[in-house]
Amino acid sequence: MPPMWYFGLIQLAYVITVNYATINPDKDNCINYESDYHVDRACECIVYQSLGGTEGRFNSPNFPQFYSKGIECILFTFIGDVGELVEIKFTDFDMMYPDAKNNTCKDYLRLFLKLNRPEINENMQHNYELCGSMSTLQQKTFYSKDRSLIMEFQTTRPLSQQLTFFKGFRGFFRFLDATNKIKPPDVYIIPVKGKNGQFVSDGVKQSGTMCSWDFSTSKLSGKFFSPLYPQNYPSHSKCQYTFYGQPNEGTVYIQFQNLQIYDEGVDSCSKSSDRIAIYDGMNSSQPLIKYLCGIKNQEEVKSTSPYLYIEFLSDGRNQRQGFAANYTFQHKSHSNSPSYSNPDYSTTTPFNCNKYIESKIKKHDVITSQHHPGPYPASTRCTYIFNGTAEERIQIKFTRMDLFFDGGNPNEPYDCDGQDSIKIYIKIDNDEKELDYTCGKKIPKMFMSNIPWMKVIFESGSRTQHSNTGFAFEYKFLTNYGITTGEQDNRKVCKFIYKSDVKKSGYFVSPNYPGFYPKNTECQYTFFGRNSEVVRIQFKEFEVDGITPRCEPKHQVDFVDFSNFDGGAQDKKMKKFCGQMTEKMREPIQSDLEFFRVTFKSNSMYEGKGFNATYEFVINEETTFSSPPKSLVGNTANSMYTSYIDNKCYCLVFYLVLTLTLQFLTVCTL
């Protein structure tokens, strides 16, 4: 049997190969204002400094290999610019599980979120202590209260072997401008213009309260938040939000852009200790509209009167991020009511061709002009308003189009003014915008709304003698954005997952393909291959509004981008696609490893047909790890990036050490 030092040499070879990919914490990196905490604890430090909107990646030492025991203290310090907040999001987490007896962490990662300056001391209480796995983390995304955030990493002292059997953690960070537009993870963009860089509601705070607000028609629309948002709301919260419209005029419309309320797994939100209660009036004695809890996006509520009362409650046990919402005081003339007092509905039409269609009544049907397939009547105005639930979009597909047209070729109508016509409207920022204006006999493209609302108006002139048969269109309330492949996110947002274990190849398309994609929409297509697999993407058709080759500026173009990184980080070595199909776009795109993400994003200006692409999971012939993009945060923060190395390097180092060891043993035996 070989001596014990042989096994020690083998372990040394393993440690050499493992430590080949590491971060470089250093005591000289530690920031010292007034506290000597890092000196007393013998901490090493890594600092991530913002240069304005910076984002990047962080990880524990040796990740994705096992971390070592006996790490006294490593401080990960994030320092934002003035007016910025820090967001961290864990994409991988694998640490020793808490002690079964007292449920305490032996190896831990402590988060300090409520810092006035980028340092901690021995008297400061951490906000979270994390250990275990991704599945045991109650939340994966955290926000600082101000411009600084610190993570403290410590592992137990070794009793025998130096290495653990846990990989540690990895994630992404962003410095968010709290005075501009903020995009919390996986939700709609929320405009935030708070005082002193904070998320502040647009109402008047009630004197002597922590989180109760009054809203009046002095500001017809705005925003409001749960306390401490975007951090987790505090325990034992009781907040009231009261909306006062003008008496006898209009309604109050609320849209929760982001809703993350702990729900305890109960079958009804009314039984949840943390919940939102919404009442149709000025106080809780008025009729209850609904309770809300759990995780939801784009949840909508509307009062029947000019008043609305919202109450938010939490207990002392579990907290989540809370909510961010928009409100609008709507005048009666802008209400989506089917009443004939609405000017959208004709009072001169001798028959009822106006329809208010709700998805809870019917999800799918066909609408035709009056007397179809016979000639439609003259002097007609018909309005069709579609209203769905928060996660639904309305798809309109014309199957028949035959309107009177005397302005030229009806199959290629150029100008619809003064002709029998159809107009389609959507809403952008609560304002109605014309999506399409069509006439003649040319069947329009298929359309989809960007929110759960759409309006179609048909108008005919005074001509009484014609043989035109009118129109027919099919409507659907969809939650899948017209995308039928992949596995959709269970929140019914536009996120689809493609797994090699389920299907090795297939296709994916833009929302509403082959019709026009909806405005103000973002869709993600995420691909997960097996170990040693990569995914290969190839576009068959591409028409996305934008100016090639840079596809800039972002807010004025629609585009498709690609990333090899999980967690939403940008992959700067991958170019965006926009514009019309080119030969370059026809070339296959291949991921670096088994993970790949494709993101489609449209703005509020234009639309196009979108794209149709195929995917295929294949064996990676050269198993290499690509280098992540360099951080913008300076030399200190650049050290965070793992020096990914070709697997052949690992094998070569281990092979050389092992060969030398065996040769030495042979000589000793002789």
Side-chain angles (χ1 to χ4, degrees):
M1 177 178 177
M4 289 302 296
W5 59 261
Y6 171 78
F7 296 104
L9 188 58
I10 296 300
Q11 185 179 33
L12 176 61
Y14 177 72
V15 172
I16 290 172
T17 59
V18 166
N19 286 332
Y20 216 96
T22 184
I23 60 173
N24 297 302
D26 195 297
K27 292 181 180 180
D28 292 339
N29 294 334
C30 296
I31 297 175
N32 184 12
Y33 290 102
E34 297 178 353
S35 172
D36 291 327
Y37 182 87
H38 66 281
V39 177
D40 298 337
R41 294 290 306 278
C43 294
E44 296 181 306
C45 301
I46 304 172
V47 178
Y48 308 97
Q49 177 75 48
S50 171
L51 295 178
T54 308
E55 60 183 35
R57 198 167 190 166
F58 63 88
N59 59 266
S60 56
N62 298 339
F63 190 91
Q65 308 298 334
F66 301 147
Y67 61 77
S68 300
K69 290 188 175 182
I71 296 176
E72 292 287 349
C73 169
I74 297 179
L75 297 180
F76 297 78
T77 303
F78 302 85
I79 307 172
D81 206 345
V82 175
E84 288 185 333
L85 302 178
V86 185
E87 176 195 66
I88 59 171
K89 180 176 182 179
F90 291 98
T91 57
D92 297 273
F93 202 92
D94 178 31
M95 292 178 61
M96 184 183 296
Y97 280 82
D99 187 277
K101 294 181 180 180
N102 53 23
N103 198 34
T104 58
C105 297
K106 293 183 178 180
D107 297 354
Y108 61 74
L109 182 68
R110 288 176 175 171
L111 306 185
F112 297 83
L113 305 179
K114 300 179 181 180
L115 303 177
N116 294 322
R117 60 174 68 185
E119 66 175 349
I120 55 178
N121 58 55
E122 63 277 0
N123 299 318
M124 191 171 292
Q125 179 62 37
H126 55 271
N127 302 107
Y128 293 92
E129 185 174 272
L130 308 180
C131 59
S133 66
M134 282 290 285
S135 61
T136 62
L137 290 184
Q138 292 188 352
Q139 67 184 83
K140 280 79 173 175
T141 305
F142 299 87
Y143 294 87
S144 66
K145 180 182 179 181
D146 212 318
R147 58 188 290 192
S148 302
L149 184 152
I150 292 178
M151 304 190 305
E152 181 183 7
F153 180 50
Q154 178 179 304
T155 66
T156 54
R157 291 184 178 275
L159 297 178
S160 55
Q161 74 271 20
Q162 176 72 21
L163 294 173
T164 69
F165 296 100
F166 303 96
K167 294 191 297 183
F169 55 85
R170 177 172 60 179
F172 292 93
F173 68 86
R174 291 195 299 170
F175 294 104
L176 303 176
D177 183 1
T179 64
N180 207 334
K181 291 188 176 181
I182 303 296
K183 187 181 178 185
D186 305 329
V187 300
Y188 191 77
I189 292 178
I190 303 170
V192 178
K193 294 183 180 178
K195 300 176 182 177
N196 301 320
Q198 299 298 309
F199 292 70
V200 179
S201 299
D202 283 327
V204 177
K205 194 174 183 181
Q206 296 177 12
S207 178
T209 68
M210 180 186 74
C211 55
S212 293
W213 297 79
D214 293 332
F215 304 85
S216 69
T217 53
S218 61
K219 187 174 179 59
L220 293 177
S221 63
K223 60 191 179 299
F224 61 101
F225 306 93
S226 55
L228 301 185
Y229 188 91
Q231 296 183 76
N232 288 6
Y233 52 78
S235 59
H236 304 294
S237 297
K238 185 175 182 180
C239 309
Q240 293 87 34
Y241 306 83
T242 310
F243 299 84
Y244 300 92
Q246 293 296 328
N248 304 316
E249 289 190 16
T251 58
V252 184
Y253 170 77
I254 304 291
Q255 185 177 52
F256 289 90
Q257 307 281 23
N258 181 28
L259 184 70
Q260 298 187 39
I261 308 294
Y262 184 72
D263 65 0
E264 303 175 282
V266 295
D267 57 359
S268 170
C269 289
S270 64
K271 301 176 183 178
S272 178
S273 300
D274 294 8
R275 66 176 183 270
I276 295 173
I278 306 173
Y279 298 91
D280 198 3
M282 288 188 287
N283 52 54
S284 59
S285 65
Q286 302 302 311
L288 175 73
I289 296 178
K290 66 183 347 181
Y291 289 107
L292 294 175
C293 64
I295 299 177
K296 295 181 174 67
N297 292 332
Q298 308 297 318
E299 186 74 23
E300 296 176 317
V301 178
K302 189 174 182 180
S303 68
T304 62
S305 73
Y307 309 105
L308 191 73
Y309 177 78
I310 297 177
E311 187 174 65
F312 168 61
L313 300 174
S314 71
D315 64 10
R317 290 175 293 173
N318 295 281
Q319 291 79 46
R320 295 292 183 269
Q321 190 179 34
F323 63 83
N326 293 336
Y327 71 86
T328 304
F329 290 101
Q330 294 183 329
H331 193 271
K332 280 185 177 180
S333 62
H334 294 95
S335 171
N336 290 341
S337 166
S339 166
Y340 283 90
S341 63
N342 190 324
D344 286 335
Y345 292 91
S346 168
T347 56
T348 61
T349 302
F351 50 83
N352 183 8
C353 65
N354 304 300
K355 297 183 183 296
Y356 183 79
I357 302 161
E358 293 186 277
S359 66
K360 63 183 180 182
I361 305 300
K362 207 164 190 177
K363 299 284 188 185
H364 174 210
D365 204 354
V366 174
I367 290 178
T368 65
S369 53
Q370 186 74 4
H371 308 318
H372 184 80
Y376 55 85
S379 302
T380 298
R381 177 185 169 96
C382 300
T383 300
Y384 310 92
I385 293 178
F386 302 87
N387 202 14
T389 59
E391 67 275 7
E392 291 177 330
R393 299 294 181 266
I394 299 102
Q395 185 185 69
I396 299 290
K397 181 180 180 181
F398 282 84
T399 57
R400 179 70 178 171
M401 189 74 171
D402 182 19
L403 304 184
F404 179 83
F405 184 82
D406 59 3
N409 182 2
N411 295 310
E412 293 293 338
Y414 177 75
D415 186 0
C416 294
D417 288 346
Q419 304 293 334
D420 296 357
S421 64
I422 291 176
K423 291 183 179 180
I424 302 175
Y425 294 87
I426 58 173
K427 282 186 178 180
I428 295 184
D429 297 331
N430 288 324
D431 292 329
E432 290 187 15
K433 301 292 184 182
E434 184 181 295
L435 180 63
D436 193 52
Y437 183 21
T438 187
C439 57
K441 295 186 177 183
K442 186 176 182 179
I443 294 181
K445 287 278 190 180
M446 187 165 59
F447 294 99
M448 179 173 283
S449 66
N450 58 308
I451 64 170
W453 185 92
M454 182 179 272
K455 180 168 69 176
V456 178
I457 297 178
F458 165 64
E459 288 188 280
S460 66
S462 58
R463 309 166 190 82
T464 57
Q465 300 296 322
H466 68 83
S467 59
N468 300 88
T469 58
F471 64 87
F473 68 82
E474 178 184 24
Y475 73 83
K476 292 180 181 179
F477 291 95
L478 300 176
T479 59
N480 67 355
Y481 293 79
I483 300 171
T484 58
T485 61
E487 176 186 346
Q488 188 177 11
D489 186 288
N490 56 17
R491 291 168 296 176
K492 300 302 181 184
V493 294
C494 196
K495 291 189 173 184
F496 296 83
I497 296 174
Y498 300 81
K499 298 178 181 178
S500 172
D501 292 338
V502 177
K503 196 172 183 180
K504 289 292 185 184
S505 62
Y507 72 95
F508 64 103
V509 298
S510 53
N512 198 46
Y513 183 87
F516 287 128
Y517 52 76
K519 297 177 184 288
N520 276 3
T521 298
E522 180 173 330
C523 294
Q524 289 187 3
Y525 311 82
T526 308
F527 299 85
F528 293 95
R530 294 180 175 179
N531 289 336
S532 76
E533 283 187 336
V534 294
V535 65
R536 191 172 292 154
I537 305 292
Q538 189 166 19
F539 286 96
K540 301 300 182 183
E541 190 169 8
F542 195 94
E543 182 189 320
V544 175
D545 178 71
I547 302 174
T548 56
R550 294 179 56 84
C551 302
E552 297 285 352
K554 285 184 178 180
H555 65 282
Q556 293 182 6
V557 299
D558 305 335
F559 60 86
V560 175
D561 68 9
F562 313 91
S563 179
N564 286 285
F565 305 136
D566 197 358
Q570 182 183 359
D571 193 340
K572 295 181 180 179
K573 70 185 178 70
M574 304 291 292
K575 291 185 178 180
K576 297 187 184 76
F577 279 12
C578 65
Q580 300 291 324
M581 189 77 167
T582 64
E583 289 303 315
K584 184 69 175 175
M585 293 179 182
R586 297 184 190 275
E587 297 176 3
I589 301 169
Q590 184 168 299
S591 65
D592 291 342
L593 293 173
E594 62 270 16
F595 174 86
F596 199 59
R597 186 182 69 248
V598 178
T599 302
F600 162 80
K601 193 168 185 178
S602 65
N603 59 29
S604 61
M605 299 174 66
Y606 305 105
E607 65 279 321
K609 187 176 180 180
F611 65 82
N612 176 13
T614 61
Y615 70 89
E616 182 182 14
F617 293 99
V618 297
I619 297 297
N620 188 4
E621 297 177 357
E622 295 184 4
T623 307
T624 58
F625 292 91
S626 65
S627 299
K630 292 182 179 179
S631 170
L632 300 177
V633 298
N635 293 334
T636 303
N638 282 344
S639 66
M640 64 167 285
Y641 287 119
T642 302
S643 301
Y644 290 92
I645 308 181
D646 194 300
N647 279 351
K648 296 174 184 177
C649 292
Y650 292 123
C651 297
L652 180 60
V653 174
F654 189 86
Y655 174 79
L656 290 174
V657 174
L658 184 58
T659 301
L660 290 172
T661 303
L662 292 175
Q663 289 178 352
F664 181 75
L665 285 175
T666 302
V667 172
C668 290
T669 303
L670 293 174

